[in-house]
Amino acid sequence: MPTTLRARPPTAPTTPRRPRPPHWVLALALTGAASVVTILLLIGGYLVGGISGGTVDWITLLTSAEWSPAHGSFGALSMIFGTAAVGVLALALAVPVGWAAAIALTEYLPPRLARPLRTCVELLAAVPSIVYGLLGIMVIRPLISSVAHVPGGDSLLAAGIVLAIMIVPTVVAVSVDALSAVPDRYRESGYSLGLTRREVIRSAVLPLARTGMRAAVLLGLARALGEAIAVYLVVGRADGRLPDGIGGLLDALVRPGQTLTTKLAGPEPVLAGTSGPHFAALCGLGVLVLSLVAAATVWSTRVGGRRHEAGKPPTVRSASSLRVQQDRATAVLRLAALALPAVLLFAMLIILLAKGSTAFDPAFWFTPASGSAEGGVRDQILGTVLLMVTTGLIALPLGFGAGVLIGVRASARTARLLQTVTVVVGGTPTILLGLTGFVLLSGALGWGRSWLAGTLVLVPVVVPVVALSTSARVRGMPQELTESAMALGLSRSQYIRSVVIPYSWPATITGLLLGLARAAGETAPLLFTATVFFGAPALPGGVVDSPIQALPTHIFTLSQDSGDPQSMTQAWSSALALVMITAVLLSAAVALRNRREGERWTA
């Protein structure tokens, strides 16, 4: 019996459904950018409200050096000079050393040496600012006092050196991320052309890493202009000091002075009330700080962009022997710059171990404080860990979303505007964040002193660091990754989820740990919103009227009584405990980053 074959009727080909775009990516980016803008608007609203509550003579504020609330004189020229002198001095010392150390870490050392040294530098970045202030009191002030014959050693120079030491680890950490993102094939191409290592770095590596390295300088600038407590302890806080011409500039640097942030961190914002000409003048100082940060950011961005466009590889080469000698000399200088942070970390640990040996007693960690300078720091440790964990959980998605929007989704003009706003928020003196939180959260919402209010005023400290680190890494991403993703037909949201997030995650973790390290040492905002010196429970039982105790404010209060040996011993021991806690958090973040740093996957 013959068999017949039946043909299957033709059917229309089925087209696979395209996966729905992940809308959470766009929502996260917009939420992050909106949080940065909202923070700036709240601070601006607080300042404008304070200015409108009194009268501000802007001409006198900008041109007069006399500040006397008793006589109604409010001139900020000496504070503007002090702020500019301290900021320029800090950047002039920190940026060359930080860039050279970052290049040495990525281009000269083998990975087995570079990774532990990088961790040491990041550990230095994790040292809270209040600890730098203590070191300034112990080391830098006596040094300047003996060299410049200044009683006490309080001076603008001391403040500039302290800030430079604080900025170097930030510049190194962010610059290393930018340099590590440059693909090795660019270096190999340079070597194949016969270039020396110095020429390869200058012609092939630095042009691609310039965006991230410039972001490192912006973060350092924001840290320099926004730092208050460490400068407060060493600057001298002397009003009305101006140099007598160009010849008296050096003499003015080794004398006590005043900056805008130290004036705002002093007792006057509390004594001035919430209205009147005195409070309005103080709010005018806050506007000047934000304006200085914005102007410096715009200028550095424009100058960096022009240099990037005009930069060309050298067309004329020197003699071969001279090129080799230049290469060796450059390597020696860069490795020497890398040795400076390592020596600084070693010296700092020696001082902390010598002065804070009480921290090695387990009873110091597990017993509460007793009296003004006795007992342990159990309650302060619990309060600090609570603040850091909650701040990190809120700041990480907001900062990452803002960084993705700046680096990928926004147009060039919008990205520049958002970057400027982000740096301005990062450079806002934390005392302004504390005063704004005090008015809005503690006053308007009726929270009183609350741990949640302290968390919310610390979030603006961390978000800009995460956002700028992420955006710099994204903008330094090789173009072929983007082209490959677009060739596969990925939508913009899928491209961000599958390519951008894995590539930028190490820089995001670096930004988070740098931001949390800065937040861990912040004292000024917590004094107004969250902490008390004693009397608070170990852990809060609610939100409203639920203060906590924290190590930064504990150290700051103890350091005010520098003449009492017991108080200083307790302050140093508390500082060592704070550094150890920060180091543990840093180690966990570094382990996570190292696990993900080599991964380049697409989903």
Side-chain angles (χ1 to χ4, degrees):
M1 181 176 180
T3 60
T4 58
L5 297 177
R6 294 183 178 180
R8 179 178 297 177
T11 58
T14 59
T15 57
R17 291 186 59 186
R18 185 182 183 86
R20 298 179 61 184
H23 297 291
W24 64 268
V25 175
L26 177 60
L28 181 63
L30 294 178
T31 303
S35 67
V36 175
V37 176
T38 301
I39 292 168
L40 184 60
L41 290 177
L42 290 176
I43 297 172
Y46 169 76
L47 296 176
V48 171
I51 293 173
S52 62
T55 57
V56 178
D57 188 349
W58 290 100
I59 296 178
T60 302
L61 191 69
L62 295 174
T63 59
S64 174
E66 181 182 0
W67 183 276
S68 177
H71 298 87
S73 300
F74 303 103
L77 185 59
S78 62
M79 303 176 210
I80 296 174
F81 165 74
T83 301
V86 169
V88 170
L89 181 62
L91 290 178
L93 294 176
V95 172
V97 174
W99 277 354
I103 293 174
L105 272 175
T106 56
E107 306 298 328
Y108 287 90
L109 295 181
R112 65 179 182 274
L113 294 179
R115 181 162 290 182
L117 283 177
R118 180 181 179 182
T119 303
C120 291
V121 172
E122 290 170 340
L123 180 60
L124 190 62
V127 176
S129 58
I130 186 66
V131 178
Y132 285 106
L134 291 176
L135 292 174
I137 292 175
M138 178 182 175
V139 179
I140 297 177
R141 285 200 325 190
L143 177 62
I144 294 178
S145 177
S146 61
V147 173
H149 305 291
V150 179
D154 289 324
S155 61
L156 295 174
L157 179 60
I161 294 175
V162 169
L163 278 183
I165 296 173
M166 295 172 62
I167 289 173
V168 166
T170 300
V171 175
V172 174
V174 179
S175 299
V176 164
D177 278 326
L179 292 166
S180 300
V182 178
D184 288 337
R185 63 177 176 278
Y186 292 98
R187 300 176 178 87
E188 296 167 357
S189 300
Y191 288 127
S192 66
L193 294 175
L195 301 181
T196 63
R197 179 173 295 183
R198 179 182 64 87
E199 293 168 342
V200 168
I201 295 172
R202 183 183 61 183
S203 304
V205 178
L206 292 183
L208 295 176
R210 183 174 288 127
T211 300
M213 298 177 74
R214 188 166 65 243
V217 177
L218 292 179
L219 287 173
L221 174 66
R223 182 78 182 268
L225 294 179
E227 179 57 41
I229 296 301
V231 178
Y232 183 90
L233 295 175
V234 298
V235 76
R237 307 186 300 279
D239 291 323
R241 300 286 184 91
L242 284 175
D244 298 328
I246 301 298
L249 182 60
L250 292 179
D251 183 68
L253 290 178
V254 296
R255 302 295 173 185
Q258 185 79 278
T259 67
L260 294 169
T261 55
T262 54
K263 172 61 72 174
L264 293 172
E268 289 192 33
V270 179
L271 300 176
T274 57
S275 62
H278 189 189
F279 184 71
L282 291 172
C283 291
L285 298 183
V287 172
L288 290 180
V289 174
L290 298 184
S291 301
L292 285 175
V293 177
T297 303
V298 172
W299 176 81
S300 63
T301 302
R302 290 183 179 273
V303 171
R306 287 198 297 266
R307 288 179 179 176
H308 180 70
E309 293 172 1
K312 294 180 180 180
T315 55
V316 180
R317 295 185 184 179
S318 54
S320 177
S321 60
L322 182 59
R323 290 171 57 207
V324 173
Q325 293 175 3
Q326 291 175 345
D327 188 74
R328 291 175 178 174
T330 304
V332 170
L333 291 176
R334 287 169 174 168
L335 291 174
L338 177 60
L340 289 178
V343 172
L344 180 61
L345 176 62
F346 180 76
M348 185 177 298
L349 290 178
I350 292 296
I351 294 174
L352 286 172
L353 294 176
K355 296 289 184 178
S357 57
T358 308
F360 293 102
D361 185 2
F364 182 77
W365 290 75
F366 298 105
T367 58
S370 174
S372 59
E374 298 178 355
V377 290
R378 183 199 64 187
D379 297 345
Q380 288 82 359
I381 291 174
L382 293 176
T384 302
V385 172
L386 175 64
L387 288 175
M388 291 303 98
V389 172
T390 53
T391 299
L393 292 177
I394 298 174
L396 177 59
L398 296 179
F400 181 75
V404 169
L405 186 63
I406 294 173
V408 179
R409 279 196 164 270
S411 62
R413 178 176 298 180
T414 304
R416 285 194 299 268
L417 177 61
L418 288 176
Q419 180 179 352
T420 302
V421 171
T422 304
V423 177
V424 170
V425 172
T428 301
T430 52
I431 184 65
L432 288 181
L433 298 175
L435 292 172
T436 304
F438 175 75
V439 172
L440 296 179
L441 302 176
S442 302
L445 296 181
W447 287 4
R449 291 186 181 270
S450 169
W451 66 272
L452 184 57
T455 296
L456 295 180
V457 298
L458 288 180
V459 167
V461 177
V462 182
V463 168
V465 185
V466 178
L468 291 175
S469 302
T470 302
S471 64
R473 177 83 168 198
V474 171
R475 285 181 292 179
M477 189 167 55
Q479 185 64 26
E480 57 267 23
L481 288 180
T482 303
E483 295 173 352
S484 300
M486 296 298 104
L488 292 174
L490 298 182
S491 66
R492 180 60 63 92
S493 296
Q494 293 168 336
Y495 160 69
I496 293 174
R497 184 191 62 181
S498 304
V499 180
V500 173
I501 291 178
Y503 188 86
S504 61
W505 190 246
T508 302
I509 296 299
T510 299
L512 178 64
L513 65 91
L514 290 175
L516 288 179
R518 181 183 175 186
E522 288 298 340
T523 304
L526 300 181
L527 288 173
F528 291 96
T529 58
T531 60
V532 293
F533 183 67
F534 60 87
L539 291 174
V543 173
V544 178
D545 293 326
S546 298
I548 58 174
Q549 302 178 64
L551 285 172
T553 53
H554 187 70
I555 297 169
F556 178 75
T557 304
L558 292 171
S559 63
Q560 299 302 297
D561 192 8
S562 58
D564 183 9
Q566 186 175 3
S567 296
M568 291 307 299
T569 300
Q570 190 80 351
W572 281 107
S573 301
S574 302
L576 180 57
L578 181 57
V579 170
M580 293 172 68
I581 292 172
T582 311
V584 171
L585 297 177
L586 170 69
S587 301
V590 168
L592 177 62
R593 185 196 61 199
N594 291 341
R595 182 179 178 182
R596 298 292 303 271
E597 191 163 25
E599 298 180 4
R600 296 290 183 267
W601 51 267
T602 56

Short mmCIF file of all heavy atoms in Angstrom, two decimals, residues 125-151:
data_model
loop_
_atom_site.label_atom_id
_atom_site.label_comp_id
_atom_site.label_asym_id
_atom_site.label_seq_id
_atom_site.Cartn_x
_atom_site.Cartn_y
_atom_site.Cartn_z
N ALA A 125 42.14 57.77 52.71
CA ALA A 125 40.96 58.56 52.38
C ALA A 125 39.82 58.30 53.36
O ALA A 125 38.93 59.14 53.52
CB ALA A 125 40.49 58.24 50.96
N ALA A 126 39.84 57.14 54.00
CA ALA A 126 38.78 56.80 54.93
C ALA A 126 38.99 57.41 56.31
O ALA A 126 38.12 57.26 57.18
CB ALA A 126 38.66 55.28 55.06
N VAL A 127 40.12 58.06 56.55
CA VAL A 127 40.34 58.70 57.84
C VAL A 127 39.41 59.90 57.96
O VAL A 127 39.43 60.79 57.11
CB VAL A 127 41.82 59.14 57.98
CG1 VAL A 127 42.03 59.90 59.28
CG2 VAL A 127 42.73 57.92 57.91
N PRO A 128 38.58 59.97 58.98
CA PRO A 128 37.62 61.07 59.10
C PRO A 128 38.33 62.42 59.27
O PRO A 128 39.46 62.50 59.76
CB PRO A 128 36.81 60.70 60.34
CG PRO A 128 36.98 59.23 60.48
CD PRO A 128 38.36 58.93 60.00
N SER A 129 37.64 63.48 58.89
CA SER A 129 38.23 64.81 58.91
C SER A 129 38.57 65.27 60.32
O SER A 129 39.53 66.02 60.52
CB SER A 129 37.29 65.81 58.24
OG SER A 129 36.03 65.81 58.89
N ILE A 130 37.80 64.84 61.31
CA ILE A 130 38.09 65.26 62.67
C ILE A 130 39.44 64.71 63.12
O ILE A 130 40.16 65.35 63.91
CB ILE A 130 36.95 64.78 63.62
CG1 ILE A 130 37.16 65.33 65.02
CG2 ILE A 130 36.86 63.27 63.63
CD1 ILE A 130 37.04 66.82 65.11
N VAL A 131 39.85 63.54 62.59
CA VAL A 131 41.16 62.98 62.93
C VAL A 131 42.25 63.82 62.30
O VAL A 131 43.30 64.08 62.93
CB VAL A 131 41.25 61.52 62.46
CG1 VAL A 131 42.62 60.93 62.76
CG2 VAL A 131 40.17 60.69 63.13
N TYR A 132 42.06 64.29 61.07
CA TYR A 132 43.03 65.19 60.46
C TYR A 132 43.16 66.48 61.28
O TYR A 132 44.24 67.04 61.40
CB TYR A 132 42.61 65.54 59.03
CG TYR A 132 42.84 64.43 58.05
CD1 TYR A 132 41.78 63.69 57.55
CD2 TYR A 132 44.12 64.12 57.60
CE1 TYR A 132 41.98 62.66 56.63
CE2 TYR A 132 44.34 63.10 56.69
CZ TYR A 132 43.27 62.38 56.21
OH TYR A 132 43.48 61.37 55.31
N GLY A 133 42.04 66.94 61.83
CA GLY A 133 42.11 68.12 62.68
C GLY A 133 42.96 67.88 63.92
O GLY A 133 43.76 68.74 64.33
N LEU A 134 42.81 66.70 64.53
CA LEU A 134 43.64 66.36 65.69
C LEU A 134 45.12 66.29 65.31
O LEU A 134 45.99 66.75 66.07
CB LEU A 134 43.18 65.04 66.29
CG LEU A 134 41.81 65.02 66.99
CD1 LEU A 134 41.47 63.61 67.44
CD2 LEU A 134 41.81 65.97 68.17
N LEU A 135 45.41 65.73 64.15
CA LEU A 135 46.80 65.67 63.70
C LEU A 135 47.35 67.07 63.42
O LEU A 135 48.53 67.35 63.66
CB LEU A 135 46.90 64.80 62.45
CG LEU A 135 46.63 63.31 62.64
CD1 LEU A 135 46.61 62.59 61.32
CD2 LEU A 135 47.68 62.70 63.56
N GLY A 136 46.48 67.94 62.91
CA GLY A 136 46.91 69.32 62.70
C GLY A 136 47.26 70.00 64.00
O GLY A 136 48.24 70.76 64.09
N ILE A 137 46.46 69.72 65.05
CA ILE A 137 46.75 70.30 66.36
C ILE A 137 48.07 69.77 66.92
O ILE A 137 48.88 70.53 67.48
CB ILE A 137 45.60 69.98 67.34
CG1 ILE A 137 44.33 70.73 66.91
CG2 ILE A 137 45.98 70.37 68.77
CD1 ILE A 137 43.12 70.37 67.74
N MET A 138 48.34 68.50 66.71
CA MET A 138 49.51 67.87 67.33
C MET A 138 50.79 68.08 66.55
O MET A 138 51.86 68.29 67.14
CB MET A 138 49.25 66.37 67.48
CG MET A 138 50.41 65.61 68.08
SD MET A 138 50.08 63.85 68.20
CE MET A 138 51.69 63.29 68.78
N VAL A 139 50.72 68.05 65.20
CA VAL A 139 51.93 68.03 64.39
C VAL A 139 52.13 69.35 63.63
O VAL A 139 53.20 69.97 63.72
CB VAL A 139 51.89 66.85 63.40
CG1 VAL A 139 53.14 66.84 62.52
CG2 VAL A 139 51.75 65.54 64.14
N ILE A 140 51.13 69.77 62.87
CA ILE A 140 51.32 70.88 61.94
C ILE A 140 51.41 72.21 62.67
O ILE A 140 52.26 73.06 62.36
CB ILE A 140 50.19 70.89 60.89
CG1 ILE A 140 50.26 69.60 60.08
CG2 ILE A 140 50.31 72.11 59.98
CD1 ILE A 140 49.16 69.45 59.07
N ARG A 141 50.56 72.43 63.65
CA ARG A 141 50.62 73.69 64.39
C ARG A 141 51.96 73.88 65.11
O ARG A 141 52.57 74.95 65.00
CB ARG A 141 49.46 73.78 65.39
CG ARG A 141 48.13 74.07 64.75
CD ARG A 141 47.12 74.62 65.74
NE ARG A 141 47.21 74.08 67.09
CZ ARG A 141 46.31 74.29 68.04
NH1 ARG A 141 45.25 75.04 67.79
NH2 ARG A 141 46.45 73.77 69.23
N PRO A 142 52.48 72.89 65.83
CA PRO A 142 53.81 73.09 66.43
C PRO A 142 54.91 73.30 65.40
O PRO A 142 55.85 74.07 65.65
CB PRO A 142 54.03 71.79 67.22
CG PRO A 142 52.67 71.28 67.51
CD PRO A 142 51.85 71.65 66.31
N LEU A 143 54.82 72.63 64.24
CA LEU A 143 55.83 72.81 63.21
C LEU A 143 55.85 74.24 62.69
O LEU A 143 56.91 74.87 62.58
CB LEU A 143 55.58 71.82 62.07
CG LEU A 143 56.52 71.91 60.87
CD1 LEU A 143 57.94 71.60 61.29
CD2 LEU A 143 56.06 70.98 59.76
N ILE A 144 54.67 74.78 62.36
CA ILE A 144 54.60 76.15 61.87
C ILE A 144 54.99 77.14 62.96
O ILE A 144 55.62 78.17 62.70
CB ILE A 144 53.19 76.44 61.33
CG1 ILE A 144 52.94 75.58 60.09
CG2 ILE A 144 53.01 77.92 61.00
CD1 ILE A 144 51.56 75.75 59.50
N SER A 145 54.64 76.83 64.20
CA SER A 145 55.01 77.72 65.30
C SER A 145 56.52 77.82 65.45
O SER A 145 57.06 78.91 65.70
CB SER A 145 54.39 77.21 66.60
OG SER A 145 54.79 78.00 67.70
N SER A 146 57.23 76.71 65.27
CA SER A 146 58.69 76.73 65.42
C SER A 146 59.39 77.33 64.21
O SER A 146 60.42 77.98 64.35
CB SER A 146 59.20 75.31 65.67
OG SER A 146 58.87 74.46 64.57
N VAL A 147 58.83 77.12 63.01
CA VAL A 147 59.48 77.62 61.80
C VAL A 147 59.18 79.10 61.58
O VAL A 147 60.08 79.90 61.28
CB VAL A 147 59.03 76.78 60.58
CG1 VAL A 147 59.56 77.40 59.29
CG2 VAL A 147 59.51 75.35 60.72
N ALA A 148 57.91 79.49 61.69
CA ALA A 148 57.51 80.86 61.41
C ALA A 148 57.44 81.73 62.65
O ALA A 148 57.11 82.92 62.54
CB ALA A 148 56.15 80.87 60.70
N HIS A 149 57.72 81.17 63.83
CA HIS A 149 57.70 81.92 65.08
C HIS A 149 56.34 82.57 65.32
O HIS A 149 56.22 83.75 65.63
CB HIS A 149 58.79 82.99 65.09
CG HIS A 149 60.17 82.45 64.82
ND1 HIS A 149 60.85 81.64 65.71
CD2 HIS A 149 60.97 82.56 63.72
CE1 HIS A 149 62.02 81.30 65.19
NE2 HIS A 149 62.11 81.84 63.99
N VAL A 150 55.29 81.75 65.14
CA VAL A 150 53.92 82.18 65.37
C VAL A 150 53.42 81.49 66.64
O VAL A 150 53.44 80.25 66.70
CB VAL A 150 53.01 81.83 64.17
CG1 VAL A 150 51.58 82.26 64.44
CG2 VAL A 150 53.54 82.49 62.92
N PRO A 151 52.99 82.24 67.63
CA PRO A 151 52.50 81.58 68.85
C PRO A 151 51.32 80.66 68.56
O PRO A 151 50.33 81.06 67.96
CB PRO A 151 52.08 82.77 69.73
CG PRO A 151 52.85 83.93 69.22
CD PRO A 151 53.01 83.70 67.74
#
